[in-house]
Amino acid sequence: FRRVLFRSETTHAYEFGGEYILSEDMVAGIRMFYKDTYDYIATQPLFTPDNHTRIANLDYANSRGIEFTIEKRFSHHYSFSINYTYSRAEGNADQWSTHSSEVWNASVYGIVPPKKTVTLAWDQPHTLSTNFSLSFDTWGGSIIGEVGSGLPYTPREARGKPLGDINSGRQPWTGTFDMRAYRTLYFDELKLTFV
């Protein structure tokens, strides 16, 4: 039995931003961020007589971006907020099993990947979220929406052979919108709210 010790992941994160008052009920903000993460856990192939892998601190990743927000607090029967973020996430391995997959691809397909940073699986350059609320005495509603660029993936042929670099493809944009409305009716001392 051999005990394996791992180092803790180390993160250096920096953030700078501010908010600006546009009016009595509206504020805008900007925030910039950068993060380095070292000693991610990964698989390390060992070329021994039994050819196996072990878990080790091998990988590195970084993410950086900028965020813009504008928000209006509730007044004159409505409120809203808009948030847009542009960010990138890169590292030397897409996931913890990447290095074992590289050894497999090299032995089966003859593909030897270059040593460079790659786009990480959670990289989503563009995200936009909105929230709008409207409220009067007896009726109102709200809409919440979120739109984002597609996540990356590695294109493959029918038999599973990678085509191009890791995460060189990009899935389509996605978006969701949720709407809620209500109407309140009064009957003497009875109050009914339909949602």
Side-chain angles (χ1 to χ4, degrees):
F1 178 78
R2 184 163 63 98
R3 185 180 181 188
V4 179
L5 297 177
F6 301 105
R7 298 186 300 274
S8 299
E9 293 180 0
T10 302
T11 299
H12 300 158
Y14 311 91
E15 182 176 317
F16 174 79
E19 292 188 339
Y20 309 92
I21 298 175
L22 302 178
S23 66
E24 188 177 84
D25 55 5
M26 190 176 299
V27 64
I30 183 172
R31 182 175 68 97
M32 294 170 284
F33 57 89
Y34 185 91
K35 181 171 71 172
D36 283 314
T37 303
Y38 303 90
D39 292 331
Y40 265 132
I41 298 298
T43 51
Q44 181 182 35
L46 298 177
F47 299 100
T48 58
D50 56 352
N51 287 333
H52 64 282
T53 60
R54 69 177 179 182
I55 305 299
N57 297 94
L58 292 178
D59 291 338
Y60 159 81
N62 73 68
S63 59
R64 71 269 189 200
I66 186 168
E67 178 183 68
F68 301 95
T69 61
I70 184 168
E71 182 176 356
K72 179 189 178 299
R73 66 179 177 82
F74 186 79
S75 64
H76 303 95
H77 303 290
Y78 75 99
S79 65
F80 70 84
S81 65
I82 301 173
N83 179 293
Y84 169 75
T85 303
Y86 175 78
S87 63
R88 296 309 307 263
E90 296 178 332
N92 68 320
D94 176 45
Q95 53 184 322
W96 71 277
S97 60
T98 293
H99 301 297
S100 294
S101 299
E102 289 174 348
V103 172
W104 166 262
N105 289 333
S107 64
V108 176
Y109 301 119
I111 299 174
V112 179
K115 296 300 181 183
K116 63 178 184 179
T117 58
V118 298
T119 301
L120 297 180
W122 61 86
D123 177 69
Q124 190 175 33
H126 305 279
T127 57
L128 175 69
S129 59
T130 61
N131 188 339
F132 177 80
S133 296
L134 186 67
S135 180
F136 290 87
D137 292 337
T138 60
W139 65 276
S142 63
I143 298 176
I144 299 175
E146 184 170 320
V147 177
S149 53
L151 297 173
Y153 70 97
T154 303
R156 297 178 182 274
E157 64 174 22
R159 297 178 62 185
K161 180 181 179 180
L163 300 173
D165 294 333
I166 295 175
N167 287 339
S168 58
R170 184 72 65 170
Q171 299 178 26
W173 284 59
T174 59
T176 59
F177 288 88
D178 296 317
M179 184 173 65
R180 178 181 181 273
Y182 71 89
R183 179 75 163 91
T184 301
L185 300 176
Y186 295 91
F187 300 96
D188 294 330
E189 296 183 358
L190 181 64
K191 176 183 175 182
L192 295 178
T193 299
F194 299 92
V195 179

